[in-house]
Amino acid sequence: MSELRFHPGRLAQVAFVVEDIEEAIVTHSRELKLGGWSLFKNFRFDELLYRGQPRPLEMHAAICFSGEMMYELIQPIGDGPSVYRDTIDSRGYGFHHFGYMVEALDDVVADYESRGHVLAQYSETANGIRAAYMDAGPAVPGMVELLEISQGATETFAPIYAASLAWDGKSPAITRYGD
């Protein structure tokens, strides 16, 4: 079995906002041949700043891998402000962001900001996964998420990667958390 490796600065993720996460998992599994999903229901960040202001956010998130590419589905819960709600309100459900693994989040955010991109949302999980969503404007379709490489990221994503490698290619194969 292969071990998950993060490649700093290379595209690592593609993500979509969806209206119904359970339905989206089944559809994406069938149509895109994705499986070995991990579904995080009613997920909350330990810290979240939306456009510089602390905001609560609850969501469902489903993650799997195709090779080393992470594939994520996100269903925000409620109508509170977030980068996910911004996309739904402006374009509807569908593509949301590209994700990159980075070694020094603060430095990469500063580089994006120096090029005119806006830090739209910052989050941190209980196990130390830090992420920043950069609003790239018309230069990039959707947002850019910067995920910091950390022990927490490895501990979270490695078993999801392993489940995707072990996927039988038929059923969605969902491991559920937080139901």
Side-chain angles (χ1 to χ4, degrees), residues 76 80 85 115 124 144 152:
R85 185 59 54 201
R115 292 183 282 130
E124 189 168 334
V144 173

Side-chain angles (χ1 to χ4, degrees), residues 22-57:
E22 300 273 354
E23 181 180 306
I25 289 170
V26 170
T27 301
H28 290 186
S29 293
R30 182 183 64 239
E31 300 301 327
L32 300 176
K33 307 300 182 222
L34 297 168
W37 293 93
S38 288
L39 174 58
F40 301 88
K41 295 287 287 253
N42 305 308
F43 181 81
R44 291 186 178 105
F45 294 97
D46 265 25
E47 179 180 351
L48 187 129
L49 297 173
Y50 168 74
R51 305 207 182 265
Q53 299 298 312
R55 301 280 186 206
L57 173 66

